[in-house]
């Protein structure tokens, strides 16, 4: 083996290994060695100039080599060139590169076998001058290994992949066929030309020509066999596919002659069961549109129709059946039935239809309608629900301009602006709300959204949307808005301070009056805890009122107000009357508090109490003025008696024997003086202005003292006084002096009225009685002329007197106020038998040893 050839084969082997490991660049660098070898060999063959590189490199070894002067023709060079191109193609991926690798490696393998056979069978002898060089045994072995490695590596393409082609068109066949037919002639002409030119030995030429012809014939035969095999395989695939499809052949009368495996899978009937039976009878076929069963022989005809057939187990199978009549000369006509199972599609369509119906029902129940707007034509198509929502008759509006005429102009301007912005930004959705005035009259509030569709140029061409009638909701929103405005107005104008808190005690609203009362602004307190308005000492205590109320609801908030003291911003306390109300806001409760400032009322009540006390005092003084004459007469008797008894004592005490009588006169004088002192004490207690002293008192002594005060003097001695006391009505909870004043006023009025009557008809009755509810009633009745009905209607008004111009007109008004202050009632009226009667009640007390209790 030539040394340069050996080096070249080694480089080829290394390049192949690099290509197999994906090292493309190293492989290409290694391929430069064989390509340099081939370039040098070609230069020597063409120029006939021998470059003795081998002699320079290996002078001793090449001295005895037969072809030391350099061969002109070499099969080794041909093999190396084929393998070099094949390895270079192997560094690239793709079907074309793979086919090139297989083709070149196959030719190199054939040349290697051919050269090895020639050498080992000694078919051809080398010339003495070395002008012809065949493969040596080592070179042939190296070529065999490299070409085999290429075929094994890229073997997934193989020979069939190399020669397989797509069907050749007629135009290509017109070019390829002459080349194939002329190829042997071309080979022959090339053989003659080479032989005449004495380029190669005759034996070599014959071998090359024979090999070329064999290769051409083998290629044509192999290609023909491959094409026939491919067509047969395609026919087998088509037959298998047709057998897998539901296809049946029937006679003109409908008897089944062929029943594919697809029919068996579709209907459950095997070919043995189906052959010879009428297809429509076997499958109980029904026309899907008309519902008419297909039974007659003339039902088998060319058609494309949807039918309902039945599986062997009885369930329906929806198919589209295509029937075609097939006729061939010499054979009876048959009908080919091709069935396409659309059961899933029918079920899907049924489900879709049901979904559409449900959607329509849902849209109708929720008052939702839909529409489609074709922008280029301006046509609007409304659904029935949409027309109903808009208050339109069916088909009343079908153009965009008609719809615009019914839309509020201000709302349409806003919608038009939104549409321009959306189409400019190529937005898919836009929402809207507008007022719609249908031609029939009225107004509808409409809300909805639409999806915009654009063409390939980005132009808005179609809109799909929904509309919802929100007229009722809009009215509710308007009413809610009005209520909100009213609420805000109330916050500003309500005279009492109004504070709204939630169930956590957080202030939600703070009225203008509250701002004035507490000194805070609404912005400062909203969001703060209501404890901000309480005394600083109470703010640290846990809030238990609201949680307890929400847990039990035992407290009725609106039954009565609460009196408490709250703290202003400046730290001063303000007494308030608090009314609470509750509102349920769903997840939260809200409490509304109205706070009324009691500062002025308390001050007024204090002034009124002082004035009332002064008035009572004046009333008592007035009464004493009226009783002054009687009082003088009443005091005159005990004082005169005292003087008389003391004078008598002084006269008789001159004689020591009259000591005992004198002492008796002195004792009697002392008793008369005590009597006068008691009268003065009663008057002083009655007149003196003192604080209210409510306690458990015996009612009978109070009545008796009042009688004594009223009957002072002898002018009332002609009036008969009668007592009717209830033994159980003894103790009351009262201020003795004030009740004494009431009784004295009533008795004086009675005395004044009785003076108008004859002496034999002057009588006053004082009664006590126990009433239900732990009350004691005391009444003063007389037998006088009674009360005038006109005076009775205005009896308790100040400055209305039963005495005409002689009275002040405040006595009975004061009496009523005193009794009501004792939690009692005061009534005046006329007796059925004549005269007036005054009744008042007082709380009853049970007398207990060591104290009193109620």
């Amino acid at each position: 083996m030539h040394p340069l050839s050996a080096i070249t084969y080694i480089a080829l082997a290394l390049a192949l290994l690099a290509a197999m490991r994906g090292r493309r660049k190293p492989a290409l660098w290694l391929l430069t060695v064989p390509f340099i070898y081939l370039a040098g060999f070609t230069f020597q063959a063409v120029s006939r100039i021998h470059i003795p590189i081998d002699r320079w490199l290996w002078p001793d070894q090449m001295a005895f080599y037969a072809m030391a002067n350099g061969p002109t023709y070499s099969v080794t060079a041909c093999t190396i060139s084929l393998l070099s191109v094949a390895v270079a193609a192997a560094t690239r991926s793709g079907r074309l590169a793979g086919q090139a690798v297989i083709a070149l490696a196959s030719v190199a393998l054939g040349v290697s076998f051919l050269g090895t056979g020639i050498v080992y069978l000694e078919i051809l002898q080398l010339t003495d001058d070395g002008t012809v060089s065949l493969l040596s045994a080592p070179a042939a072995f190296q070529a065999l290994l490299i070409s085999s490695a290429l075929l094994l590596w890229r073997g997934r393409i193989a020979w069939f992949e190399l020669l397989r082609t797509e069907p050749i068109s007629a135009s290509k066949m017109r070019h390829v066929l002459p080349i194939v037919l002329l190829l042997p002639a071309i080979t022959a002409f090339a053989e003659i030309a080479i032989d005449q030119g004495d380029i190669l030995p005759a034996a070599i030429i014959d071998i090359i020509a024979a090999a070329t012809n064999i290769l051409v014939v083998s290629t044509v035969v192999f290609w023909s066999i491959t094409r026939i095999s491919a067509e047969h395989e395609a026919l087998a695939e088509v037959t298998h596919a047709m057998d897998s499809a539901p296809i049946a052949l029937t006679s003109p009368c409908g008897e089944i002659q062929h029943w594919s495996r697809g029919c068996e899978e579709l209907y459950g009937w095997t070919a043995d069961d189906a052959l010879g039976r009428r297809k429509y009878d076997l499958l109980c076929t029904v026309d899907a549109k008309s519902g008419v069963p297909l039974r007659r022989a003339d039902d088998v005809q060319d058609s494309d129709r949807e039918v309902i057939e039945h599986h062997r187990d009885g369930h329906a199978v929806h198919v589209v059946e295509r029937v075609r009549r097939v006729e061939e000369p010499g054979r009876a006509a048959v009908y080919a039935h091709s069935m396409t199972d659309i059961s899933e599609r029918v079920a899907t369509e049924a489900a879709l239809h049901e979904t559409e119906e449900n959607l329509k029902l849902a849209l109708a129940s929720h008052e939702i309608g839909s529409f489609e707007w074709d922008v280029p034509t301006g046509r609007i198509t409304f659904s029935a629900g949409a027309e109903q929502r808009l208050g339109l008759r069916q088909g009343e509006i079908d153009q965009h301009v008609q719809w615009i005429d019914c839309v509020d102009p201000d709302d349409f301007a806003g919608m038009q602006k939104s549409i321009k912005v959306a189409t400019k930004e190529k937005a898919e959705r836009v929402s809207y709300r507008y007022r719609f005035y249908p031609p029939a009259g009225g107004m509808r509030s409409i809300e909805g959204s639409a999806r915009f569709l654009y063409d390939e140029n980005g132009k808005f061409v179609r809109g799909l949307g929904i509309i919802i009638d929100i007229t009722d909701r809009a009215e509710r929103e308007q009413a809610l808005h009005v209520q909100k405005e009213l609420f805000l107005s109330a916050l500003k104008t309500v005279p009492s301070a109004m504070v709204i808190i939630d169930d956590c005690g957080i202030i939600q609203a703070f009225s203008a009056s509250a701002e004035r009362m507490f000194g805070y602004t609404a912005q400062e307190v909203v969001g703060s805890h209501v404890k901000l308005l309480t005394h600083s000492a109470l703010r640290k205590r846990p809030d238990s009122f609201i949680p307890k109320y929400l847990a039990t609801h035992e407290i009725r908030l609106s039954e009565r107000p609460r009196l408490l003291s709250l703290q202003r911003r400046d730290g001063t306390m303000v007494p308030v009357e608090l009314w609470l109300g509750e509102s349920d806001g769903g997840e939260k409760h809200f409490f509304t508090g109205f706070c009324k400032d009691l500062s002025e009322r308390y001050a007024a009540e204090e002034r009124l109490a002082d004035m009332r006390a002064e008035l009572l005092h004046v009333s008592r003084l007035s009464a004493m003025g009226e009783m002054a004459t009687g009082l003088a007469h009443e005091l005159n008797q005990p004082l005169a008696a005292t003087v008389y008894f003391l004078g008598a004592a002084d006269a008789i005490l001159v004689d020591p024997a009259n000591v005992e009588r004198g002492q008796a006169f002195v004792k009697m004088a002392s008793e008369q003086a005590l009597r006068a002192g008691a009268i003065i004490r009663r008057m002083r207690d009655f007149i003196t202005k003192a604080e209210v002293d409510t306690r458990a008192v015996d009612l009978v002594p109070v009545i008796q003292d009042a009688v004594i005060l009223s009957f002072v003097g002898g002018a009332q001695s002609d009036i008969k006084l009668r007592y009717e006391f209830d033994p159980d009505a003894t103790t009351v909870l009262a201020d003795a002096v004030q009740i004494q004043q009431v009784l004295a006023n009533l008795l004086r009025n009675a005395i004044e009225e009785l003076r108008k009557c004859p002496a034999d008809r002057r009588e006053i009755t004082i009664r006590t009685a126990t009433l239900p509810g732990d009350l004691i009633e005391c009444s003063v009745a007389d037998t006088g002329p009674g009360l005038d009905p006109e005076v009775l209607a205005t009896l308790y008004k100040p400055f209305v007197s039963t005495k005409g111009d002689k009275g002040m007109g405040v006595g009975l008004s004061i009496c009523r106020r005193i009794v009501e202050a004792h939690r009692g009632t005061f009534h005046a009226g006329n007796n059925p038998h004549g005269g007036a009667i005054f009744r008042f009640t007082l709380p009853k007390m049970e007398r207990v040893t060591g104290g009193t209790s109620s």
Side-chain angles (χ1 to χ4, degrees):
M1 184 178 180
H2 197 279
L4 291 177
S5 300
I7 293 173
T8 303
Y9 276 116
I10 292 172
L12 277 173
L14 293 175
L16 178 59
L17 289 174
M20 293 175 68
R21 299 191 63 179
R23 306 289 182 84
R24 186 168 180 267
K25 288 185 177 180
L28 293 176
W29 280 107
L30 289 170
L31 285 176
T32 56
V33 175
F35 282 119
I36 292 173
Y37 172 82
L38 291 174
F41 183 85
T42 302
F43 174 78
Q44 292 183 79
V46 172
S47 63
R48 300 282 183 169
I49 300 173
H50 176 59
I51 302 174
I53 298 174
D54 47 358
R55 285 184 176 271
W56 297 340
L57 295 175
W58 302 282
D60 297 334
Q61 290 81 356
M62 297 304 297
F64 303 97
Y65 194 68
M67 294 176 287
N69 294 324
T72 305
Y73 312 107
S74 175
V75 178
T76 300
C78 179
T79 306
I80 289 174
S81 63
L82 291 173
L83 292 176
S84 300
V85 177
V87 172
T91 60
R92 304 186 65 83
S93 60
R95 180 180 176 182
L96 183 61
Q99 289 178 343
V101 169
I102 294 300
L104 294 171
S106 300
V107 173
L109 184 65
V111 171
S112 301
F113 272 114
L114 182 62
T116 304
I118 292 173
V119 171
Y120 279 94
L121 297 176
E122 298 181 354
I123 296 174
L124 182 65
Q125 299 294 328
L126 294 174
T127 57
D128 294 335
D129 58 357
T131 57
V132 177
S133 174
L134 299 179
L135 287 174
S136 64
F141 184 69
Q142 289 290 336
L144 287 172
L145 289 178
I146 294 174
S147 58
S148 299
L150 283 169
L151 291 173
L152 290 173
W153 177 34
R154 306 301 291 268
R156 62 180 180 271
I157 298 177
W159 291 87
F160 178 76
E161 188 70 21
L162 174 65
L163 297 177
R164 190 179 69 178
T165 59
E166 299 296 331
I168 301 177
S169 62
S171 59
K172 291 182 179 180
M173 285 296 295
R174 285 196 297 267
H175 295 87
V176 173
L177 187 59
I179 294 173
V180 173
L181 294 176
L182 292 174
L183 193 58
I186 294 172
T187 305
F189 284 122
E191 180 182 355
I192 294 172
I194 293 171
D195 186 28
Q196 290 179 353
D198 196 20
I199 298 174
L200 292 173
I204 294 298
I205 294 173
D206 292 338
I207 292 173
I208 293 173
T212 303
N213 291 331
I214 292 172
L215 181 62
V216 171
V217 173
S218 299
T219 301
V220 172
V221 172
F222 184 75
W223 179 80
S224 300
I225 293 173
T226 303
R227 297 296 300 179
I228 294 172
S229 176
E231 291 178 0
H232 183 270
E233 183 180 356
L235 181 61
E237 291 177 355
V238 171
T239 303
H240 178 74
M242 292 182 65
D243 191 52
S244 300
I247 297 175
L249 300 179
T250 64
S251 65
C253 64
E255 292 182 356
I256 299 173
Q257 296 181 354
H258 173 74
W259 192 253
S260 69
R261 182 163 50 85
C263 291
E264 293 180 354
E265 295 174 354
L266 180 61
Y267 298 109
W269 295 94
T270 64
D272 295 336
D273 297 330
L275 293 177
R277 301 178 63 176
R278 296 190 73 249
K279 176 179 180 293
Y280 294 155
D281 291 339
L282 176 67
L283 302 178
C284 301
T285 307
V286 177
D287 186 89
K289 292 184 178 180
S290 63
V292 177
L294 303 180
R295 297 288 184 271
R296 302 185 307 275
D298 57 359
D299 289 333
V300 181
Q301 53 185 333
D302 287 359
S303 62
D304 291 321
R305 57 190 171 187
E306 183 178 337
V307 296
I308 302 174
E309 298 181 320
H310 293 79
H311 194 271
R312 188 168 188 172
D313 60 9
H315 75 268
V317 180
H318 291 260
V319 298
V320 173
E321 182 186 47
R322 173 173 293 183
V323 183
R324 294 293 182 268
R325 183 183 178 91
V326 180
E327 293 185 88
E328 292 185 4
R331 296 184 62 181
V334 295
Y335 283 90
H337 300 253
S338 174
M339 283 74 69
T340 303
D341 185 8
I342 59 170
S343 298
E344 291 186 2
R345 192 191 77 185
V346 171
T348 302
E349 290 176 351
L352 181 60
H353 178 72
E354 182 180 1
T355 303
E356 290 178 350
E357 293 299 323
N358 293 335
L359 179 59
K360 290 180 181 178
L361 182 62
L363 292 177
S365 62
H366 289 81
E367 298 186 348
I368 299 176
S370 60
F371 69 90
E372 180 179 353
W373 175 24
D374 187 3
V375 179
T377 63
R379 182 175 180 82
I380 295 183
T381 304
F382 291 104
S383 67
E387 292 177 326
Q388 184 179 1
R389 303 288 84 77
L390 294 172
L392 301 174
R393 296 189 301 271
Q394 185 175 1
E396 187 173 5
I397 289 181
D398 59 358
Q399 292 296 322
H400 186 243
V401 292
Q402 295 176 301
W403 173 81
I404 294 175
D405 293 338
C406 298
V407 178
D408 184 91
D410 295 335
D411 296 343
F412 177 73
M415 293 175 61
Q416 193 74 2
K417 183 178 179 180
S418 299
I419 292 174
K420 287 182 179 179
V421 173
T423 54
K424 182 179 180 180
E425 298 177 354
K426 298 297 183 293
E428 292 187 356
R429 297 184 183 277
V430 65
S431 299
Y432 44 81
R433 183 171 180 174
Y434 59 90
R435 287 163 290 179
F436 188 83
Y437 298 89
M443 190 274 290
R444 302 289 180 96
S445 294
I446 304 299
E447 185 180 68
S449 61
R451 182 176 181 182
F452 289 176
L453 303 178
Y454 305 87
D455 59 11
E456 60 275 5
N457 298 322
K459 185 179 179 181
F460 173 42
V461 295
R462 189 181 177 196
L464 301 173
I466 61 171
I467 57 175
I468 305 173
D469 184 4
I470 60 167
T471 304
D472 294 339
R473 192 181 81 188
E475 292 176 353
R476 291 194 298 270
E477 289 177 352
Q478 179 63 25
L480 184 61
H481 177 72
V482 172
Q483 291 180 358
K484 182 179 179 181
E485 291 299 323
L486 291 175
F487 173 73
L488 294 176
S489 176
L491 280 179
K492 295 178 181 179
T493 60
V494 63
S496 298
M498 185 173 71
V499 181
I500 299 177
I501 64 174
D502 61 14
D503 49 14
C504 296
I506 304 302
I507 298 175
Q508 304 294 324
F510 203 69
S511 70
S513 298
E515 292 180 346
R516 292 190 295 270
M517 177 183 290
F518 295 103
Y520 293 100
T521 64
Q523 291 79 5
E524 290 175 327
V525 298
V526 170
S528 301
H529 200 277
V530 72
K531 288 184 178 181
L532 178 68
L533 306 179
T534 62
H535 194 277
S536 56
L538 301 177
R539 295 175 188 174
K540 297 181 180 179
R541 295 182 183 179
D543 184 14
S544 60
F545 175 79
I546 295 178
K548 182 179 179 181
Y549 171 76
L550 294 177
T552 62
H553 287 273
E554 292 179 353
I555 307 170
R556 295 186 178 179
L557 298 179
S558 59
E559 276 189 349
R560 54 186 175 84
R562 287 164 173 76
L563 301 178
L564 57 141
S565 294
L566 299 178
Q567 184 171 312
R568 294 189 178 97
R569 184 171 187 170
D570 59 6
T572 59
M573 303 302 295
V574 52
V576 298
E577 181 182 69
L578 174 64
W579 289 86
L580 281 176
E582 177 192 9
S583 61
D584 188 359
E587 296 181 357
K588 278 195 171 186
H589 284 71
F590 295 92
F591 300 91
T592 303
F594 289 91
C595 302
K596 184 177 181 181
D597 189 352
L598 300 181
S599 301
E600 295 183 0
R601 193 177 87 178
Y602 280 177
E605 287 179 353
E606 289 180 3
R607 292 193 299 270
L608 183 61
D610 293 339
M611 293 175 64
R612 185 182 294 115
E614 292 288 348
L615 183 60
L616 291 175
H617 182 60
V618 171
S619 176
R620 289 194 289 271
L621 291 176
S622 176
M624 285 305 302
E626 295 175 3
M627 295 185 295
T629 303
L631 177 62
H633 176 76
E634 187 70 20
L635 289 175
N636 187 48
Q637 290 180 351
L639 290 177
T642 301
V643 172
Y644 172 75
F645 288 131
L646 289 176
D650 182 60
I652 64 173
L653 284 176
V654 176
D655 186 356
N658 295 327
V659 172
E660 291 183 2
R661 286 187 65 192
Q663 290 178 347
F665 280 126
V666 172
K667 183 177 181 182
M668 286 187 288
S670 177
E671 289 176 354
Q672 292 300 318
L674 291 174
R675 178 186 172 191
I679 292 173
I680 295 172
R681 177 182 54 78
R682 292 191 192 99
M683 295 301 173
R684 184 189 61 194
D685 292 342
F686 182 73
I687 296 171
T688 303
K689 176 184 176 183
E691 299 295 331
V692 177
D693 184 13
T694 303
R695 63 176 66 190
V697 296
D698 289 334
L699 183 58
V700 174
V702 173
I703 294 174
Q704 292 174 345
D705 287 344
V707 171
I708 293 172
L709 287 173
S710 301
F711 282 80
V712 171
Q716 294 83 18
S717 58
D718 57 348
I719 297 175
K720 183 181 180 180
L721 186 63
R722 190 157 58 93
Y723 296 101
E724 295 180 3
F725 292 149
D726 186 347
D728 295 329
T730 58
T731 307
V732 295
L733 179 65
D735 184 299
V737 174
Q738 289 190 356
I739 300 304
Q740 192 179 89
Q741 180 179 354
V742 172
L743 288 168
N745 198 337
L746 297 178
L747 288 171
R748 287 199 319 274
N749 288 341
I751 292 170
E752 292 290 336
E753 294 299 318
L754 287 175
R755 287 176 180 169
K756 303 175 184 178
C757 300
D760 58 346
R761 291 181 53 192
R762 298 176 182 177
E763 182 178 337
I764 296 176
T765 303
I766 301 176
R767 295 185 181 89
T768 61
T770 303
L771 298 182
D774 292 334
L775 293 174
I776 292 178
E777 182 185 70
C778 181
S779 63
V780 177
D782 61 54
T783 57
L787 299 172
D788 189 338
E790 294 183 1
V791 174
L792 187 61
T794 59
L795 189 62
Y796 305 115
K797 292 184 178 180
F799 311 111
V800 175
S801 175
T802 60
K803 304 175 184 178
D805 296 335
K806 297 180 180 180
M808 294 176 61
V810 295
L812 292 178
S813 177
I814 292 174
C815 291
R816 185 180 184 184
R817 289 183 177 274
I818 290 174
V819 172
E820 289 179 348
H822 284 75
R823 294 181 296 170
T825 58
F826 188 92
H827 299 284
N830 291 318
N831 277 320
H833 304 292
I837 183 171
F838 293 86
R839 299 183 180 89
F840 62 90
T841 61
L842 296 171
K844 181 180 179 181
M845 296 287 291
E846 296 293 339
R847 175 69 67 180
V848 180
T849 303
T852 61
S853 66
S854 60

